[in-house]
Amino acid sequence: MGLDYRKSILEALRDSVGEWVSGQQLCQEFGISRMAVSKHVRALRQQGYEIETAPRKGYRFHDGPNLLLPEEIRSDLPTEVLGQGLIEYSEVLESTHLRAEELALAGYREGTLVVAESQTHGRGRRGRSWYSGTQTGLCMSVVLRPPLVPDWSTILSLTLVVAVADALLEATNLPIRICWPNDLMIGERKLGGVLVDISSDLEAIRYTVVGVGLNVNQTRVQFPAELRDHATSLRIESDKVWNRVSILQKILVHLEKLYWSLDDGFTINILQRWRELDILLGRSVSLETMDGVISGVAMDISPDGRLLIQDADGKVVPVMGGKLKGAPPFLSTTSPRS
Ligand code: BTN
């Protein structure tokens, strides 16, 4: 009950952001004593909310705590499904991806969201680990239940990466690009990555977990030494501290929008957008794949989402997945598990 009052007081103050709300008004609205109001505001301030208090004026809301708190994420979230059900928050978690997979297996609905302020065993692509910092990056994983057959898996992954890149472009105006298949880049440095795990049987995709790891407010020295030359953050690129909740909300909005538009006709738009955003096209690349190393020039993407590489003999080889070898930008912020 107490926590419900606290939530309602927070909403009332937030609705009047920058304006004074008297203690009397809050007492009357919620039918509680002045002492109780003041106790809840104190607790909110301890959580990191910036709420000014002044005798005879009352309370004035300035800002949230820049933590990924579920009530912050839900506040004015303009999605229909993503982030509208369970939002599981942890200060420290092994991996949001692992947890979201557990929830998906347990039958949690589409849109279930897991967030953490830091991870002890963040997972990257191809068995790598992901470094996330504490309260500075964004670690989120969302459960999706796409009504698609497994053939769509590659296009689905591509779509989710494009959606995250577009969300970041809109939120920040910074020159964010994709490096196939799932890296988010600014220039030659890695800003983040998208991890897509799809569980399917022969006929249908059962669930998908999309995880986003993003460097937001880290300064250069906050990165481990071995990542400093290859990683970047929104803060490093803009000299500004970003509101992580707003960025997370934008990602949810774009994921939902693009993912729901996924059908035969729309695939063409996704591929076109990928061509506009990816930094690999036209570059010489060397990829470690299950069939060995493939070297050549990245030419295009096939309609089913494979990277088309033209080798030295002029042969065009479609590649489903692999690890880029060589100098940055092909090094990632992820490091092999020890
Ligand atoms: C990559 O670049 O290899 C993808 C990195 C994805 C990291 C994110 S952080 C949130 C989610 N939880 C994880 O354990 N991994 C993903």
Side-chain angles (χ1 to χ4, degrees), residues 56 74 218 269:
R56 285 186 298 283
R74 274 201 199 93
Q218 289 96 334
N269 297 357

Side-chain angles (χ1 to χ4, degrees), residues 94-98 119 121-125 130 138-141 182-183 190 192-195 211-213 334:
E94 187 178 347
S95 151
T96 59
H97 213 74
L98 202 67
Q119 301 181 121
H121 291 86
R123 284 206 228 162
R125 217 168 58 89
W130 173 257
L138 195 58
C139 303
M140 61 183 280
S141 297
N182 71 331
D183 288 348
K190 181 158 167 165
V194 181
L195 187 63
V212 181
T334 49

Side-chain angles (χ1 to χ4, degrees), residues 3 31 33 68 77 151 158 204 207 257:
L3 285 179
S33 67
L68 305 172
L77 176 65
D151 286 358
L158 221 66
Y207 67 80
K257 193 172 99 200

Side-chain angles (χ1 to χ4, degrees), residues 309-327:
I309 298 182
Q310 186 166 43
D311 68 16
D313 304 329
K315 199 170 100 198
V316 176
V317 189
V319 183
M320 178 83 116
K323 180 172 159 256
L324 284 158
K325 290 171 51 147

Side-chain angles (χ1 to χ4, degrees), residues 71-335:
E71 52 273 32
E72 292 291 296
I73 295 171
R74 274 201 199 93
S75 164
D76 296 327
L77 176 65
T79 54
E80 279 180 45
V81 172
L82 303 199
Q84 298 294 351
L86 173 72
I87 301 181
E88 200 178 88
Y89 170 85
S90 306
E91 277 176 27
V92 186
L93 190 65
E94 187 178 347
S95 151
T96 59
H97 213 74
L98 202 67
R99 180 64 187 141
E101 274 180 341
E102 282 170 9
L103 293 173
L105 272 171
Y108 275 77
R109 64 176 234 203
E110 172 153 280
T112 298
L113 173 65
V114 182
V115 290
E117 300 294 354
S118 76
Q119 301 181 121
T120 53
H121 291 86
R123 284 206 228 162
R125 217 168 58 89
R126 296 172 66 88
R128 296 180 157 230
S129 62
W130 173 257
Y131 160 82
S132 47
T134 302
Q135 294 184 1
T136 46
L138 195 58
C139 303
M140 61 183 280
S141 297
V142 192
V143 175
L144 303 177
R145 298 196 177 275
L148 298 171
V149 293
D151 286 358
W152 279 79
S153 298
T154 314
I155 284 290
L156 174 63
S157 304
L158 221 66
T159 304
L160 298 172
V161 179
V162 167
V164 175
D166 269 336
L168 296 175
L169 276 164
E170 190 179 300
T172 67
N173 245 329
L174 293 167
I176 288 148
R177 294 288 176 269
I178 296 169
C179 180
W180 183 88
N182 71 331
D183 288 348
L184 300 161
M185 311 288 295
I186 296 189
E188 303 288 291
R189 292 172 194 264
K190 181 158 167 165
L191 177 74
V194 181
L195 187 63
V196 181
D197 273 319
I198 299 177
S199 160
S200 49
D201 54 33
L202 280 178
E203 273 136 44
I205 294 180
R206 275 192 296 255
Y207 67 80
T208 297
V209 172
V210 49
V212 181
L214 190 71
N215 303 325
V216 182
N217 288 327
Q218 289 96 334
T219 57
R220 176 114 20 241
V221 289
Q222 281 174 318
F223 283 109
E226 68 274 18
L227 299 181
R228 247 168 246 167
D229 289 343
H230 313 301
T232 192
S233 72
L234 295 179
R235 182 171 178 183
I236 293 170
E237 297 294 331
S238 61
D239 234 357
K240 171 176 158 186
V241 174
W242 292 82
N243 181 316
R244 293 181 302 144
V245 170
S246 311
I247 291 170
L248 187 151
Q249 289 178 324
K250 261 294 185 280
I251 291 176
L252 292 179
V253 169
H254 278 259
L255 279 176
E256 183 171 285
K257 193 172 99 200
L258 220 60
Y259 154 69
W260 280 359
S261 347
L262 200 57
D263 62 29
D264 286 327
F266 196 74
T267 309
I268 297 165
N269 297 357
I270 301 281
L271 294 175
Q272 190 44 38
R273 189 67 188 132
W274 181 86
R275 288 185 186 103
E276 287 161 12
L277 291 176
D278 199 282
I279 59 172
L280 279 192
L281 290 187
R283 293 174 97 145
S284 293
V285 293
S286 215
L287 264 171
E288 265 175 41
T289 73
M290 296 223 283
D291 306 321
V293 175
I294 298 173
S295 300
V297 177
M299 302 295 288
D300 199 2
I301 191 112
S302 68
D304 64 353
R306 290 163 203 245
L307 186 68
L308 299 175
I309 298 182
Q310 186 166 43
D311 68 16
D313 304 329
K315 199 170 100 198
V316 176
V317 189
V319 183
M320 178 83 116
K323 180 172 159 256
L324 284 158
K325 290 171 51 147
F330 311 129
L331 289 169
S332 75
T333 21
T334 49
S335 48

